[in-house]
């Protein structure tokens, strides 16, 4: 599993925003490629940034907002999945861990929403802090299944987790 995929992508986008200082740079395919190339997972970055129809006319600031929006939607989808799983699963250890994950994902969503707001206000370093904290919330959920108490297991939302971090 690729770790920190989204954080890697967002960091590069924010650094480019700061370095280009909003000179009207439009996110053409070459720019999107240059953003995604150094990330941990190029294909994932392209799927997040390059495949969104808004990206074709976006500047770097808009790309950051698009990336955050796509991630927030993914977090919400995972929250829905957790809710459904909690009603289906019977194993008390898994249910307990998923309840904690539900809290982690609520906090992650709040942090990504704050990141969107701070990015909208051009507070990029503050926005990166919110992305980092939100990503760490998801990592915390993921790690609950890899450590005690209880047996080590694979999270039923493992794929969802790895799409966030």
């Amino acid at each position: 599993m690729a770790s920190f995929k989204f954080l890697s992508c967002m960091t590069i986008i924010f650094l480019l925003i700061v370095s280009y200082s909003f000179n009207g740079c439009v996110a053409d395919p070459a720019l999107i490629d240059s953003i995604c190339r150094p990330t941990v997972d190029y294909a994932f970055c392209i799927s997040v940034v390059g495949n969104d129809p808004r990206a074709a006319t976006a500047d770097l600031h808009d790309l950051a907002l698009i990336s955050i929006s796509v991630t927030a939607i993914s977090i919400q989808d995972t929250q829905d999945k957790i809710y459904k799983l909690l009603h289906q699963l019977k194993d008390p250890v898994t249910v307990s861990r998923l309840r904690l994950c539900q809290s982690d994902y609520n906090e992650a969503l709040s942090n990504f929403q704050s990141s969107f707001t701070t990015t909208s206000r051009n507070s990029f370093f503050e926005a990166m802090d919110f992305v980092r904290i939100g990503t760490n919330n998801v990592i915390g959920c993921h790690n609950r299944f890899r450590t005690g108490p209880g047996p080590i297991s694979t999270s039923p939302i493992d794929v969802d987790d790895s799409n966030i971090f």
Side-chain angles (χ1 to χ4, degrees):
M1 173 183 73
S3 61
F4 305 106
K5 334 188 235 198
F6 179 77
L7 187 58
S8 169
C9 184
M10 287 304 300
T11 301
I12 291 168
I13 290 171
F14 283 129
L15 289 174
L16 284 171
I17 289 171
V18 171
S19 66
Y20 280 101
S21 301
F22 300 108
N23 64 0
C25 181
V26 175
D28 62 10
L31 178 60
I32 293 171
D33 182 70
S34 72
I35 290 169
C36 292
R37 186 70 49 202
T39 62
V40 173
D41 189 335
Y42 175 82
F44 177 78
C45 181
I46 289 293
S47 74
V48 170
V49 179
N51 289 338
D52 191 289
R54 299 170 290 179
T57 58
D59 61 15
L60 289 171
H61 183 256
D62 293 335
L63 280 180
L65 292 171
I66 290 167
S67 297
I68 295 166
S69 296
V70 168
T71 303
I73 291 167
S74 179
I75 290 169
Q76 289 170 327
D77 290 345
T78 304
Q79 286 176 312
D80 293 343
K81 186 174 181 178
I82 291 170
Y83 179 80
K84 290 175 186 171
L85 286 168
L86 285 171
H87 288 85
Q88 296 170 353
L89 297 173
K90 304 297 180 212
D91 175 50
V93 173
T94 302
V95 168
S96 174
R97 288 174 175 169
L98 275 178
R99 285 193 197 287
L100 293 170
C101 284
Q102 193 171 35
S103 175
D104 292 333
Y105 268 84
N106 286 337
E107 290 179 32
L109 181 59
S110 176
N111 280 297
F112 275 91
Q113 289 169 334
S114 295
S115 179
F116 187 92
T117 301
T118 54
T119 298
S120 297
R121 292 190 318 244
N122 298 332
S123 299
F124 304 115
F125 293 108
E126 187 179 0
M128 271 308 301
D129 283 340
F130 285 118
V131 167
R132 180 185 47 77
I133 294 166
T135 301
N136 284 337
N137 294 134
V138 173
I139 291 169
C141 167
H142 184 77
N143 287 339
R144 291 185 197 293
F145 289 85
R146 294 178 165 213
T147 60
I152 294 173
S153 62
T154 301
S155 167
I157 57 169
D158 189 60
V159 171
D160 303 87
D161 290 347
S162 65
N163 283 334
I164 307 297
F165 68 92

